[in-house]
Amino acid sequence: MKVLIVGATGTIGRAVAAELGKSHEVIAAGRSSGAVRMDMTDAASIAAAFKKVGRVDAVVCTAGHVKFAPFAEMHGEDYEVGNRDKLMGQVNLVLIGRETVADGGSFTLTTGVLDSDPIRGGSSASLVNGAINAFVMAAAIEMPRGLRINAVSPGLIQESAEALAPYFPGFETVPAARAALAYARSVEGAQTGRVYRVP
Ligand SMILES: NC(=O)c1ccc[n+]([C@@H]2O[C@H](COP(=O)([O-])OP(=O)(O)OC[C@H]3O[C@@H](n4cnc5c(N)ncnc54)[C@H](OP(=O)(O)O)[C@@H]3O)[C@@H](O)[C@H]2O)c1
């Protein structure tokens, strides 16, 4: 399969690229890294990248930012950051990419443990992750040409834990390589509309 990975140079993306690269052709995409340059917050940039890459069998996204701040300090515009970036960036990847993905191909998006296990300062992440999980569930039943769509919701990644541990007290960590298996399951399996939780 030809697999486009948006965010392939990141902590999770590197592990996903290594796992999928064992048996597939991986094309890495990012704003300032990877063989294909793409800013998923910019619809024109997504369209240009798909035009350049051409037909792919799977699109995986392991990118997306949200604002972390105490709830008392969060205002409408603070949520816009995550809504524009991690939420609509991934939704637009699907909306724009669905013409380019081959029959029976797939999309795999990324959410995260905060979809169901909140932390202080993480209300935007929880909002966005929950929205993406729901989008995947709904889009799956209307996907054309046998296209599939799933989300992976990893726990706190071991390789990120040193920097993030103070915000995730008592959370167990997941090696990125183990989270990557859920992406392989989505890309290579037959299921659709699923959220693969990797706690
Ligand atoms: N790390 C964790 O513990 C963890 C746990 C659960 C969920 N998650 C979620 O998993 C996702 C990835 O996390 P990570 O820790 O692996 O992130 P990361 O190490 O910061 O990597 C992000 C990757 O995405 C690319 N990227 C960033 N913004 C982009 C954009 N607008 N368009 C295209 N590519 C973009 C980056 O490359 P460029 O800079 O070149 O664009 C990089 O390759 C995030 O949504 C995060 O919320 C992370």
Side-chain angles (χ1 to χ4, degrees), residues 56-125:
V56 294
D57 300 290
V59 176
V60 172
C61 182
T62 54
H65 299 285
V66 302
K67 178 164 180 166
F68 284 89
F71 182 61
E73 295 168 17
M74 288 290 286
H75 297 97
E77 61 270 24
D78 299 306
Y79 290 96
E80 281 305 320
V81 175
N83 294 353
R84 209 173 32 245
D85 192 310
K86 186 169 180 176
L87 175 55
M88 286 314 297
Q90 296 198 84
V91 169
N92 277 327
L93 265 184
V94 177
L95 300 183
I96 297 165
R98 63 190 163 181
E99 305 300 333
T100 306
V101 174
D103 292 359
S106 67
F107 290 92
T108 306
L109 308 184
T110 296
T111 60
V113 62
L114 302 184
D115 61 4
S116 52
D117 218 353
I119 58 166
R120 288 189 190 91
S123 64
S124 175

Side-chain angles (χ1 to χ4, degrees), residues 113 117 119 154-161 164-165 168-175 178 198-199:
V113 62
D117 218 353
I119 58 166
L156 175 62
I157 297 296
Q158 198 170 73
E159 290 84 342
S160 311
L164 299 178
F168 289 82
F171 279 61
E172 286 185 56
T173 60
V174 186
R178 192 159 82 76
V198 191

